[in-house]
Amino acid sequence: KAIKQIIPLSVEEITLMIEIPARFSSRAYGVLKEFGVSEEKWLSDGSLAAKVRIAGGLKEAFYRKINAATEGNARVEESK
């Protein structure tokens, strides 16, 4: 706890539910694999629904990379 006062560490884990349109699914899949996909479901229209569990400190990096891969077209919801 004392180190958290000096260095802001986030050890919490968050779960993100992601929906990626078919047009970007193959490109964004690499980003999802990089962060560790815990569940994935390919939908009939070619889009991808996935669940990713990441450390809270990686949230900003994840959003940046997934938005770059999908040109901002991914839908991401955070669940606890």
Side-chain angles (χ1 to χ4, degrees), residues 16-31:
L16 301 173
M17 304 299 290
I18 303 107
E19 288 185 26
I20 299 168
R23 185 171 135 203
F24 304 104
S25 59
S26 62
R27 192 172 7 164
Y29 189 73
V31 174

Side-chain angles (χ1 to χ4, degrees), residues 14-20 32 50 52 54 59 62-64 66-67 70 72-79:
I14 58 172
T15 301
L16 301 173
M17 304 299 290
I18 303 107
E19 288 185 26
I20 299 168
L32 296 177
V52 177
I54 60 172
K59 186 167 73 168
F62 176 81
Y63 276 100
R64 197 173 336 116
I66 202 70
N67 282 328
T70 63
N73 289 293
R75 196 173 106 215
V76 181
E77 292 179 13
E78 192 174 326
S79 63

